[in-house]
Amino acid sequence: MRFLPLPGGALSAVTMATIALLGGLVWGTWKHPEALWAPGDLSRYHADIPDCGRCHAPFQGPIAARCIACHTADRFAAGAKPAVSAAHRRWIETGQACFHCHTEHRGALAQITVGALVNPHGEFVFRATGTHSCGACHEFGPERGSGTRLLDNAPVRRLLEQGKGAHGRGRMARCLSCHSDGTAPP
């Protein structure tokens, strides 16, 4: 099979375009790495992390040792239920990769634990109440699915008062008719 020769100057044009593309990638990586390479916004849990290198190694992705630098076994013991703390301690000791159970870069209000209960009210409820967990408004039974109880505390009372009854029991399913983008209606 014979190929026709390239038109004059084609090789130099391809070379210049390649150099320009690589130069742009190098400049963008150096000047604005998050804008060029980030797959999405961080969750509310990690929004205060200033740069990618705190969690990621170049060309390797997230590194468990970097997660453990912030999320120590002692921190889990102090802030988590005993079963969660024990599981994380085992995973830390065996060097399990955190991203087997946790995801990131799915937005500020995303749930980052794979398989976790999904907020039935929509993630915007955390923003509306100023809370960060379901346990801020609900008390859960000992078994998954064994029922919940609505707490009588400041975030719950504020939500009920501000909604003038719209946030009452059984009415949250219609929330998106007023709060389509997670903010208060006009």
Side-chain angles (χ1 to χ4, degrees), residues 63-177:
I63 305 296
R66 294 184 182 182
C67 299
I68 294 167
C70 292
H71 302 280
T72 64
D74 291 338
R75 184 173 172 191
F76 279 111
K81 292 181 181 181
V84 173
S85 177
H88 280 92
R89 184 176 302 280
R90 277 193 314 274
W91 293 322
I92 289 170
E93 290 169 356
T94 60
Q96 291 286 330
C98 303
F99 57 84
H100 286 232
C101 298
H102 299 285
T103 61
E104 245 314 339
H105 296 288
R106 293 181 16 207
L109 298 177
Q111 177 58 263
I112 65 170
T113 303
V114 175
L117 292 172
V118 175
N119 184 346
H121 312 305
E123 290 294 322
F124 72 89
V125 167
F126 292 126
R127 188 182 321 162
T129 60
T131 61
H132 297 287
S133 72
C134 302
C137 297
H138 300 277
E139 181 179 353
F140 295 93
E143 299 287 323
R144 184 174 178 169
S146 66
T148 63
R149 183 176 71 83
L150 188 62
L151 297 174
D152 182 18
N153 60 17
V156 172
R157 285 191 297 274
R158 187 173 57 250
L159 189 63
L160 292 173
E161 289 166 9
Q162 288 178 350
K164 298 179 181 75
H167 297 123
R169 188 175 298 276
R171 297 188 178 137
M172 290 297 285
R174 295 190 308 251
C175 56
L176 293 178
S177 64

Side-chain angles (χ1 to χ4, degrees), residues 33-43 46-47 52 56 103-108 110:
E34 292 84 9
L36 186 64
W37 298 107
D41 291 335
L42 291 173
S43 71
H46 296 126
C52 305
H56 294 266
T103 61
E104 245 314 339
H105 296 288
R106 293 181 16 207

Side-chain angles (χ1 to χ4, degrees), residues 18 22 137 141 155 184:
T18 302
L22 290 174
C137 297

